[in-house]
Amino acid sequence: MESLNAEDPVSVGPFRLIGRLGVGGMGRVFLARSAGGRTVAVKVVHAELAAQDEFRRRFAREVAALERVGGTGTAPVLGSDTTADAPWVAIGYVPGPSLRTVVGDEFGPLPPATVRALASGLARALDHIHAAGLVHRDLKPSNVLLTVDGPRIIDFGIARAVDAVADGGNLTTTGAVVGSPGFMSPEQVRGDHVGPASDVFCLGSVLAYAATGRAPFGTADSGVHATMFRIAHDEPDLTDLPPELSGLIRACLAKDPAARPTATEIVETLPVADPWLPADVLARLGRHAAQLLEAEGAAPAAGAPAASDTPPPAGGAVPGAGTAAAPAPPRRRGRTALLAAATALVVAAAATVAYVYWPGRTDGGSGGTADGGRKNGTATGRPAGIVPAAFLGAWEGVLKGTANAPYETSRIEITQGPRGAKAAVYTHVTGELLCIGRATLISATDSELVLGDAEVTESVPAQRCTPAARQTLRLRSTDVVEWGSGVARSTFQRVKAGPDVVPAAYVGTWKQAPDTVTQPEPDRWSYRVTITQGPVGAPLVRFEQSYPRMDDQGNLLAEDIDCAATAVVGGAGSLLVIGPETRDPASWDPDCAENGSSNLRIAHWKGQERLQVYGMTADGEPAEFVRD
């Protein structure tokens, strides 16, 4: 903290300024005290920004949104004036160092247990922020402060006001960028829509930094554009990342926003530990609070009003940190009490630091933990299930054939659940068979998920499927798992899950043009495919065919043959995979022929979009359809 200079005000609103905390792209930040003795950080907007009406309006909206957050895992708003000549906002001061300072300057990479607890605390804060309709957009180590009772996120929401002005080309203040190059999401890099999933990606980068001491995509030292390119296109550098953190962090760093866990899912999976920091860092917090107290006890700047001796409200993050400046003996008593409390915290932490692991307990609740037997007696929460966030979602792969010519495919969609729950839905498609079933969760680690007992829920044709055998998924990256069942092996890719998995390009009705050379009376020949939106496992594809009946000599008769069938979608990755056709009894002639499983794709020919339908039993030419 720096001393106030002659250009600085002595007070802002009801807050008496103590010193300068820093200067950023948006404005100056001061350490201040309320009349009741609470320590606050007051941010005063730069004059050039305050002169812009659009910035003022957005700043006011963001401050109102910050007030809705209410301080859960963040610093609460304690006052503001967005209409003042120099707009300002006062936020509760967090008496703790930043994650960047602790990891980059003082302590180095944090232990896995602490990183898990950090993930839990930050996810809870993000969950609360997102519920209030905000997106942080600049989550980075310097915006994460460490306190005795958990991490705190600062400087969220305001960046959106700065961004709005920057988009208009009016903002030139140095440093006024939305997001920090080493800790941005692919969406930010590409200029796409930024939602809550962007914060989860940034969370993954922050956790990787906390665990390794390095940003996973490098720093701007190698060039801002090079860093942004790596974020958008390259895999993260997770060298030296402890294996027990790999699943969580890789899941957060998925390039596809839809493939990342939500903050809520992370919260539901990670338990909470208290105390959560290593003893050395707790001691650092005590020293930091003592330095703050000394700064508050210093003589105020000339002309400043006298400090109140009213003690701060109960429940401060560090005891004594907010004690008012007063005559020397009372101030020394405050500092003694502070150091005594900090020492007690350090001793307690050295004896009882709880180790919390992702995905949590693996002993079925018998008391052991994933760390080999240490008790987790101080955990205040329990994971909602055993599945690491990295495995949640849908995966598809080819068991026989190739990605472009599959003869047998499989899909697994995994949801959260405890050991023994049937939380994995699998879909298996061969040339003549589609099987859907539910498999039981047997065990889970950060890198391996094992599925056991299964039950068949759907069989096409009926009663032909048998329950799947034991299946194992091993995580290779955020978007790839190695799948195995018995002697069968394959690589599965992450794909979209949910109620609307069919790519929009497929949806609609397609028709096949009659062959005027081989089909006499072409107007009587009709073949259509209708594809609707929906989930895997639903009958979303309908085939309707009509053609003239012929006699034994091949002569056309007056009667037409009508055939209608539906097919269940069994995969929606790079291709749309469907099971064998099921006849529609209301429109099915004895001369109609049922087709087996197919894979569908979109092709383009001479500027026209075409739907190609390939059989999955042998190589051959596809049936082609154009938009109806």
Side-chain angles (χ1 to χ4, degrees):
M1 183 180 70
E2 300 177 359
S3 300
L4 298 175
N5 59 40
E7 298 177 353
D8 294 325
V10 296
S11 63
V12 174
F15 303 102
R16 177 177 63 86
L17 304 189
I18 297 172
R20 265 188 183 225
L21 292 175
V23 179
M26 191 189 76
R28 295 169 294 169
V29 185
F30 300 98
L31 185 68
R33 292 284 300 280
S34 71
R38 186 164 188 172
T39 307
V40 301
V42 178
K43 301 185 178 186
V44 181
V45 172
H46 284 312
E48 58 265 38
L49 291 177
Q52 301 179 27
D53 291 339
E54 178 61 20
F55 179 85
R56 278 182 173 270
R57 285 192 293 269
R58 290 181 178 268
F59 179 68
R61 287 199 294 267
E62 296 302 337
V63 169
L66 293 178
E67 291 171 342
R68 295 201 308 270
V69 174
T72 300
T74 64
V77 175
L78 302 176
S80 66
D81 187 348
T82 59
T83 63
D85 290 342
W88 59 271
V89 59
I91 298 175
Y93 181 72
V94 180
S98 72
L99 179 65
R100 197 215 65 79
T101 297
V102 169
V103 173
D105 299 337
E106 298 179 351
F107 188 81
L110 299 174
T114 298
V115 176
R116 278 198 183 85
L118 176 68
S120 177
L122 294 180
R124 289 175 188 277
L126 287 176
D127 191 30
H128 201 70
I129 291 168
H130 297 162
L134 289 174
V135 179
H136 189 290
R137 309 214 305 179
D138 196 19
L139 185 63
K140 57 186 178 182
S142 60
N143 278 343
V144 174
L145 303 185
L146 308 185
T147 74
V148 173
D149 58 350
R152 295 289 185 271
I153 296 177
I154 62 172
D155 284 346
F156 59 91
I158 300 300
R160 294 202 293 181
V162 177
D163 181 55
V165 180
D167 288 345
N170 298 320
L171 182 59
T172 57
T173 303
T174 301
V177 296
V178 180
S180 301
F183 294 90
M184 296 172 74
S185 69
E187 304 93 274
Q188 289 174 293
V189 168
R190 293 190 296 263
D192 294 341
H193 170 73
V194 173
S198 176
D199 284 346
V200 173
F201 187 95
C202 299
L203 172 63
S205 294
V206 167
L207 297 177
Y209 174 83
T212 67
R214 302 185 317 277
F217 297 99
T219 66
D221 294 342
S222 59
V224 171
H225 294 295
T227 301
M228 291 182 174
F229 181 88
R230 288 192 293 269
I231 290 173
H233 302 287
D234 293 350
E235 288 294 311
D237 177 9
L238 299 180
T239 306
D240 302 327
L241 181 70
E244 57 266 42
L245 298 174
S246 177
L248 167 63
I249 292 175
R250 288 186 182 277
C252 293
L253 293 177
K255 301 296 186 189
D256 180 3
R260 300 169 201 154
T262 64
T264 303
E265 288 172 336
I266 297 174
V267 169
E268 290 175 347
T269 307
L270 285 173
V272 180
D274 182 27
W276 69 287
L277 287 169
D280 290 352
V281 178
L282 283 173
R284 164 70 171 86
L285 297 185
R287 292 193 298 272
H288 180 84
Q291 292 165 0
L292 173 65
L293 185 63
E294 286 190 341
E296 293 188 42
S308 165
D309 60 358
T310 305
V318 178
T323 303
R331 184 178 66 80
R332 284 198 297 270
R333 284 200 298 272
R335 183 177 180 183
T336 301
L338 164 71
L339 294 179
T343 302
L345 283 171
V346 170
V347 173
T352 65
V353 169
Y355 291 81
V356 184
Y357 283 79
W358 178 276
R361 305 173 70 93
T362 59
D363 64 338
S366 61
T369 61
D371 67 337
R374 283 190 292 266
K375 297 287 184 179
N376 193 8
T378 59
T380 58
R382 290 292 183 266
I386 68 169
V387 182
F391 284 102
L392 296 174
W395 308 84
E396 289 185 13
V398 176
L399 306 188
K400 291 182 182 178
T402 66
N404 289 325
Y407 300 140
E408 184 175 349
T409 66
S410 188
R411 172 189 171 98
I412 298 178
E413 188 163 342
I414 301 166
T415 57
Q416 191 57 268
R419 184 180 292 104
K422 285 186 167 58
V425 176
Y426 65 86
T427 307
H428 185 199
V429 182
T430 69
E432 301 294 344
L433 190 66
L434 177 141
C435 303
I436 300 177
R438 302 185 69 89
T440 302
L441 297 174
I442 292 181
S443 64
T445 66
D446 285 323
S447 59
E448 182 178 276
L449 186 72
V450 180
L451 308 176
D453 295 340
E455 62 177 355
V456 175
T457 59
E458 184 169 356
S459 175
V460 182
Q463 300 181 340
R464 288 274 305 277
C465 296
T466 57
R470 183 187 182 101
Q471 303 175 74
T472 301
L473 288 78
R474 293 185 175 88
L475 196 67
R476 291 293 175 261
S477 73
T478 55
D479 298 317
V480 178
V481 296
E482 296 296 330
W483 172 90
S485 181
V487 297
R489 296 287 185 273
S490 183
T491 300
F492 283 17
Q493 304 287 331
R494 185 183 291 279
V495 294
K496 185 177 181 180
D500 55 352
V501 301
V502 179
Y506 288 87
V507 176
T509 299
W510 305 77
K511 66 180 180 180
Q512 188 177 70
D515 185 345
T516 57
V517 175
T518 62
Q519 297 175 347
E521 300 184 32
D523 291 343
R524 296 177 62 188
W525 301 73
S526 174
Y527 194 5
R528 282 178 169 78
V529 180
T530 301
I531 303 173
T532 56
Q533 187 59 271
V536 167
L540 305 178
V541 182
R542 181 176 176 83
F543 296 91
E544 295 176 302
Q545 193 171 11
S546 180
Y547 54 90
R549 191 181 300 278
M550 298 181 185
D551 61 19
D552 293 340
Q553 285 73 42
N555 299 312
L556 271 58
L557 303 177
E559 183 184 6
D560 288 341
I561 294 175
D562 295 319
C563 308
T566 58
V568 171
V569 171
S574 58
L575 305 174
L576 192 65
V577 176
I578 61 175
E581 296 175 16
T582 300
R583 66 183 65 178
D584 180 352
S587 182
W588 189 263
D589 189 276
D591 286 343
C592 294
E594 292 176 334
N595 293 311
S597 303
S598 306
N599 64 80
L600 286 60
R601 66 198 71 187
I602 301 294
H604 293 82
W605 175 254
K606 294 183 178 180
Q608 187 179 41
E609 205 173 39
R610 299 194 177 195
L611 175 70
Q612 297 181 326
V613 180
Y614 285 83
M616 290 179 62
T617 55
D619 293 333
E621 294 299 317
E624 288 197 337
F625 302 80
V626 296
R627 289 279 182 187
D628 191 357

Coordinates of all heavy atoms in Angstrom, one line a residue, residues 355-398:
Y355 N -7.4 -33.0 4.2 CA -7.1 -33.3 2.8 C -8.4 -33.7 2.0 O -9.0 -34.7 2.4 CB -6.0 -34.3 2.7 CG -4.7 -33.9 3.2 CD1 -4.4 -33.8 4.5 CD2 -3.8 -33.3 2.3 CE1 -3.2 -33.4 5.0 CE2 -2.6 -32.9 2.7 CZ -2.3 -32.9 4.1 OH -1.1 -32.4 4.6
V356 N -8.8 -32.9 1.0 CA -10.0 -33.2 0.3 C -9.6 -33.6 -1.1 O -8.9 -32.8 -1.8 CB -10.9 -32.0 0.3 CG1 -12.2 -32.2 -0.4 CG2 -11.1 -31.5 1.8
Y357 N -10.1 -34.7 -1.6 CA -9.7 -35.2 -2.9 C -10.9 -35.2 -3.9 O -12.0 -35.4 -3.5 CB -9.1 -36.6 -2.8 CG -7.7 -36.5 -2.3 CD1 -7.5 -36.4 -0.9 CD2 -6.7 -36.6 -3.2 CE1 -6.2 -36.3 -0.5 CE2 -5.4 -36.5 -2.7 CZ -5.1 -36.4 -1.4 OH -3.9 -36.3 -0.9
W358 N -10.6 -35.0 -5.2 CA -11.5 -35.1 -6.3 C -11.4 -36.5 -6.8 O -10.4 -37.0 -7.0 CB -11.1 -34.2 -7.4 CG -12.0 -34.2 -8.6 CD1 -11.9 -35.1 -9.6 CD2 -13.1 -33.4 -8.9 NE1 -12.9 -34.9 -10.5 CE2 -13.6 -33.9 -10.1 CE3 -13.7 -32.3 -8.3 CZ2 -14.7 -33.3 -10.7 CZ3 -14.8 -31.8 -8.9 CH2 -15.3 -32.2 -10.1
P359 N -12.5 -37.3 -6.9 CA -13.9 -36.9 -6.8 C -14.4 -37.1 -5.4 O -15.6 -36.9 -5.1 CB -14.6 -37.9 -7.7 CG -13.9 -39.1 -7.6 CD -12.4 -38.7 -7.4
G360 N -13.6 -37.5 -4.4 CA -14.1 -37.6 -3.0 C -13.9 -39.0 -2.5 O -13.0 -39.7 -2.9
R361 N -14.8 -39.3 -1.5 CA -14.6 -40.6 -0.8 C -14.8 -41.8 -1.8 O -15.6 -41.8 -2.7 CB -15.6 -40.7 0.3 CG -15.6 -39.6 1.2 CD -16.7 -39.6 2.2 NE -16.6 -40.7 3.1 CZ -16.0 -40.6 4.3 NH1 -15.5 -39.5 4.7 NH2 -15.9 -41.6 5.1
T362 N -13.9 -42.8 -1.6 CA -14.0 -44.0 -2.5 C -14.2 -45.2 -1.7 O -14.0 -46.3 -2.2 CB -12.7 -44.1 -3.3 OG1 -11.6 -44.2 -2.4 CG2 -12.5 -42.9 -4.2
D363 N -14.6 -45.1 -0.5 CA -14.7 -46.2 0.4 C -16.2 -46.5 0.8 O -16.5 -47.3 1.7 CB -14.0 -46.0 1.7 CG -14.5 -44.9 2.5 OD1 -15.2 -44.0 1.9 OD2 -14.3 -44.8 3.7
G364 N -17.1 -45.9 0.0 CA -18.5 -46.1 0.3 C -19.0 -45.6 1.7 O -20.0 -46.0 2.2
G365 N -18.2 -44.6 2.2 CA -18.6 -43.9 3.4 C -18.1 -44.6 4.7 O -18.5 -44.3 5.8
S366 N -17.1 -45.5 4.6 CA -16.6 -46.2 5.8 C -15.6 -45.4 6.6 O -15.2 -45.8 7.7 CB -16.0 -47.5 5.4 OG -14.9 -47.3 4.5
G367 N -15.2 -44.2 6.1 CA -14.3 -43.4 6.8 C -13.0 -43.2 6.2 O -12.3 -42.3 6.5
G368 N -12.6 -44.1 5.3 CA -11.3 -43.9 4.6 C -11.5 -42.9 3.5 O -12.6 -42.6 3.1
T369 N -10.4 -42.4 3.0 CA -10.4 -41.4 1.9 C -9.5 -41.8 0.8 O -8.7 -42.7 1.0 CB -10.1 -40.0 2.4 OG1 -8.7 -40.0 2.9 CG2 -11.0 -39.5 3.5
A370 N -9.6 -41.1 -0.3 CA -8.7 -41.4 -1.5 C -7.3 -41.1 -1.2 O -6.4 -41.4 -2.1 CB -9.2 -40.6 -2.7
D371 N -6.9 -40.6 -0.1 CA -5.5 -40.3 0.2 C -4.8 -41.4 0.9 O -3.7 -41.3 1.3 CB -5.3 -39.0 1.0 CG -5.9 -39.1 2.4 OD1 -6.7 -40.0 2.6 OD2 -5.4 -38.4 3.3
G372 N -5.4 -42.6 1.0 CA -4.8 -43.7 1.6 C -5.1 -43.9 3.0 O -4.4 -44.7 3.7
G373 N -6.1 -43.3 3.6 CA -6.5 -43.6 5.0 C -6.6 -42.4 5.9 O -7.1 -42.6 7.0
R374 N -6.2 -41.2 5.5 CA -6.3 -40.1 6.4 C -7.8 -39.8 6.6 O -8.6 -39.8 5.6 CB -5.6 -38.8 5.8 CG -4.1 -38.9 6.0 CD -3.5 -37.6 5.6 NE -3.6 -37.3 4.2 CZ -2.7 -37.6 3.3 NH1 -1.6 -38.2 3.7 NH2 -2.9 -37.3 2.0
K375 N -8.2 -39.4 7.8 CA -9.6 -39.1 8.0 C -9.9 -37.7 7.5 O -9.1 -36.8 7.5 CB -9.8 -39.1 9.6 CG -9.6 -40.5 10.2 CD -10.7 -41.4 9.8 CE -10.5 -42.8 10.6 NZ -11.6 -43.7 10.3
N376 N -11.2 -37.6 7.0 CA -11.7 -36.3 6.5 C -12.7 -35.8 7.5 O -13.8 -35.4 7.1 CB -12.3 -36.5 5.2 CG -12.5 -35.2 4.5 OD1 -12.1 -34.2 4.9 ND2 -13.2 -35.3 3.3
G377 N -12.3 -35.8 8.8 CA -13.3 -35.5 9.8 C -13.8 -34.0 9.8 O -14.8 -33.7 10.3
T378 N -13.0 -33.1 9.2 CA -13.4 -31.7 9.2 C -14.2 -31.3 8.0 O -14.6 -30.2 7.9 CB -12.2 -30.8 9.3 OG1 -11.3 -31.1 8.2 CG2 -11.4 -31.1 10.6
A379 N -14.4 -32.3 7.1 CA -15.2 -31.9 5.9 C -16.7 -31.6 6.3 O -17.3 -32.3 7.1 CB -15.2 -33.0 4.9
T380 N -17.2 -30.5 5.8 CA -18.5 -30.1 6.2 C -19.6 -30.5 5.1 O -20.7 -30.2 5.3 CB -18.6 -28.6 6.4 OG1 -18.2 -27.9 5.2 CG2 -17.7 -28.2 7.6
G381 N -19.1 -31.0 4.0 CA -20.0 -31.4 3.0 C -19.7 -32.8 2.5 O -18.7 -33.4 2.8
R382 N -20.6 -33.4 1.7 CA -20.3 -34.7 1.1 C -20.6 -34.6 -0.4 O -21.5 -34.0 -0.8 CB -21.3 -35.7 1.7 CG -20.9 -36.0 3.2 CD -19.6 -36.8 3.3 NE -19.3 -37.1 4.7 CZ -18.5 -36.4 5.5 NH1 -18.1 -35.3 5.0 NH2 -18.3 -36.8 6.7
P383 N -19.8 -35.3 -1.2 CA -20.0 -35.3 -2.6 C -21.3 -35.9 -3.0 O -21.8 -36.9 -2.3 CB -18.8 -36.1 -3.2 CG -18.3 -36.9 -2.0 CD -18.6 -36.2 -0.8
A384 N -22.0 -35.4 -4.0 CA -23.3 -35.9 -4.4 C -23.1 -37.2 -5.2 O -24.1 -37.9 -5.4 CB -24.0 -34.9 -5.3
G385 N -21.9 -37.6 -5.6 CA -21.7 -38.8 -6.4 C -20.2 -39.0 -6.5 O -19.4 -38.2 -6.1
I386 N -19.9 -40.1 -7.2 CA -18.4 -40.5 -7.3 C -17.8 -40.1 -8.6 O -16.6 -40.2 -8.8 CB -18.2 -42.0 -7.1 CG1 -18.9 -42.8 -8.2 CG2 -18.8 -42.4 -5.7 CD1 -18.5 -44.3 -8.2
V387 N -18.6 -39.6 -9.6 CA -18.1 -39.4 -10.9 C -17.4 -38.0 -11.0 O -18.0 -37.0 -10.7 CB -19.2 -39.4 -11.9 CG1 -18.7 -39.2 -13.3 CG2 -20.0 -40.7 -11.9
P388 N -16.1 -38.0 -11.4 CA -15.4 -36.7 -11.6 C -16.0 -36.0 -12.7 O -16.6 -36.5 -13.7 CB -14.0 -37.2 -12.0 CG -13.8 -38.6 -11.4 CD -15.2 -39.2 -11.5
A389 N -16.0 -34.7 -12.6 CA -16.6 -33.8 -13.6 C -16.1 -34.1 -15.0 O -16.8 -33.9 -16.0 CB -16.5 -32.3 -13.3
A390 N -14.8 -34.5 -15.1 CA -14.2 -34.7 -16.5 C -15.0 -35.8 -17.2 O -14.9 -35.8 -18.5 CB -12.8 -35.1 -16.3
F391 N -15.6 -36.8 -16.5 CA -16.3 -37.9 -17.2 C -17.8 -37.6 -17.5 O -18.4 -38.3 -18.3 CB -16.3 -39.1 -16.4 CG -14.9 -39.8 -16.4 CD1 -14.0 -39.7 -15.3 CD2 -14.5 -40.6 -17.5 CE1 -12.8 -40.3 -15.3 CE2 -13.3 -41.2 -17.5 CZ -12.4 -41.1 -16.4
L392 N -18.3 -36.6 -16.9 CA -19.8 -36.3 -17.1 C -20.0 -35.9 -18.5 O -19.3 -35.1 -19.1 CB -20.2 -35.2 -16.1 CG -20.1 -35.5 -14.7 CD1 -20.5 -34.3 -13.8 CD2 -21.1 -36.7 -14.3
G393 N -21.1 -36.4 -19.1 CA -21.5 -36.0 -20.4 C -21.6 -37.3 -21.3 O -21.7 -38.4 -20.8
A394 N -21.5 -37.0 -22.6 CA -21.7 -38.1 -23.6 C -20.4 -38.4 -24.4 O -19.7 -37.4 -24.7 CB -22.8 -37.8 -24.5
W395 N -20.1 -39.7 -24.7 CA -18.9 -40.1 -25.4 C -19.4 -41.1 -26.5 O -20.2 -41.9 -26.3 CB -17.9 -40.7 -24.5 CG -17.6 -39.9 -23.3 CD1 -18.3 -39.8 -22.1 CD2 -16.5 -39.0 -23.1 NE1 -17.7 -39.0 -21.2 CE2 -16.6 -38.5 -21.8 CE3 -15.4 -38.7 -24.0 CZ2 -15.6 -37.6 -21.4 CZ3 -14.5 -37.8 -23.5 CH2 -14.6 -37.2 -22.2
E396 N -18.8 -41.0 -27.7 CA -19.1 -41.9 -28.8 C -17.8 -42.4 -29.4 O -16.8 -41.7 -29.5 CB -20.0 -41.3 -29.8 CG -21.4 -41.0 -29.4 CD -22.2 -40.4 -30.5 OE1 -21.8 -40.5 -31.7 OE2 -23.4 -40.0 -30.2
G397 N -17.9 -43.7 -29.9 CA -16.7 -44.2 -30.6 C -17.2 -45.3 -31.6 O -18.3 -45.8 -31.6
V398 N -16.3 -45.7 -32.5 CA -16.5 -46.7 -33.5 C -15.8 -48.0 -33.0 O -14.6 -48.0 -32.7 CB -15.9 -46.3 -34.9 CG1 -16.1 -47.5 -35.9 CG2 -16.7 -45.1 -35.3

